[in-house]
Amino acid sequence: MKVLLYVNQEKILDESLNKAIISACEKIGVDYQIVEKADLTGNIVADTFVCVGGDGTILSTAQFAGENNIPILGINAGKVGFLTEFEGDEVEKALSELVSGNLKIDERINMEVTFKGEKYHALNDVVIQRIYRENVSRMILNVKVDIDGNFVDQIAGDGIIVSTPTGSTAYSLSAGGAILAPGIQAFSMTPLSAHSLHNRPVIFSADSVCEAEIVGEVSACVFLDGKLIGVLDEGEKISIKKAKYNTVFLRKNDSNFYNRLIEKLKRNK
């Protein structure tokens, strides 16, 4: 078994965790290769991607793992760690369960986003949000949303969030969106601070194509998994559909999404 070991050093406040991970690999007999962010490009063959960090670390490396069809085993060194499976003090247990084959697969869909002629991918969400500028007096952003070429709504407010089931428990949830169970093949569109009571979250098939367009002389920032990728101007469209690959996580056999939801959201208080 070949394991790629990626540790977000910005999250490791105690150097002993680094030593514990290496020690556990050698004790259990794991064939590991330490990789850095710069190494996560191209085609790499491995059995597991052990990722140590927080949810942001997982999101920043998920595309690499997904495109190379390598399952992710997440070890939490962040605050909430909703996407990770084991805590920092469970390193040896995590690797033992991995080698013993006692972990189950949790497969998550991704989004493919076409923006200004470029293609991007997101595991969590796409956020289109108005820009706050001193020289712009207009306070409302109008976003026209189509699904499969059919007009859905024109959202007047701060913008919209289009999320996967994975991202439904992130920003979308804070904005009043629905929680989608991981196995559902669907996306959600959640308005941000809508100025109309009829604007509500919309759940739609992951096999559909969602397009969003800015209406009016106002621009919007576009974020993918929390990362700014550019500005959407009037008349420009952004297209969102299901990606060709999934992201696979390894979970404990007794792992339960709903228990995790309650536990992690309490921790985030």
Side-chain angles (χ1 to χ4, degrees), residues 186-245:
F187 296 142
S188 68
M189 187 279 293
T190 304
L192 281 172
S193 302
H195 285 235
S196 173
L197 293 177
H198 89 271
N199 291 143
R200 290 291 181 265
V202 174
I203 311 300
F204 61 97
S205 170
D207 292 325
S208 293
V209 177
C210 176
E211 291 185 321
E213 178 182 356
I214 302 301
V215 179
E217 297 176 357
V218 179
S219 299
C221 292
V222 178
F223 298 88
L224 268 62
D225 288 346
K227 181 180 178 180
L228 176 66
I229 63 166
V231 174
L232 188 66
D233 294 314
E234 179 186 7
E236 291 184 325
K237 289 185 178 181
I238 184 169
S239 176
I240 303 164
K241 66 179 183 179
K242 183 169 68 174
K244 294 180 180 179
Y245 68 83

Side-chain angles (χ1 to χ4, degrees), residues 249-260:
F249 291 95
L250 296 177
R251 305 288 184 197
K252 301 173 184 175
N253 271 324
D254 61 353
S255 181
N256 181 289
F257 169 75
Y258 302 102
N259 289 343
R260 173 192 302 276

